[in-house]
Amino acid sequence: MILDRICVYCKEELKGRSDKKFCDAQCKSAYQYQQTKQQPERFFNKVDNQLRRNRKILKDYNKGGKVTVREAVLLSEGFDPNFFTHFWKNQKGEVYLFVYEYGFRKIKENRNNKYVLVLWQEYMSKR
């Protein structure tokens, strides 16, 4: 009994072992990538991706250690203020949210929503 064996990914005829599913490593890798893309994104991946995106955006806009940026600018880049790693409260009671070493605090200035961006400092870890 001869079985027609074809590659699961590219549909080419297979030669070799009887249990072979792919014609080469590239087809196997491409098939696994395709299968992964079809599965819904896991919660952990969504959170991790957004944290990395937020960190990159804050890093790109905070070149001087402390800067003010319009909210619309950050949001247009994909920034989501609901994703942060920790917070810090200063002596005035103002709360800064941090994405790793980059912090932000929402303010209203001249009827415009803005974010004050800061960089984590050593004195912030002292209680």
Side-chain angles (χ1 to χ4, degrees), residues 55 58-59 62 97-104 118-120:
R55 183 186 179 278
L58 293 173
K59 181 181 179 184
N62 191 356
L97 304 176
F98 279 83
V99 181
Y100 304 108
E101 72 273 30
Y102 295 97
F104 62 95
V118 297
L119 196 56
W120 183 263

Side-chain angles (χ1 to χ4, degrees), residues 36-48:
T36 302
K37 291 298 272 182
Q38 291 175 355
Q39 295 174 356
E41 192 174 20
R42 294 187 348 236
F43 179 73
F44 170 81
N45 292 348
K46 287 180 184 180
V47 171
D48 188 49

Side-chain angles (χ1 to χ4, degrees), residues 71-84:
E71 177 183 41
V73 172
L74 294 180
L75 295 180
S76 71
E77 297 275 337
F79 181 75
D80 187 341
N82 296 315
F83 289 82
F84 55 92

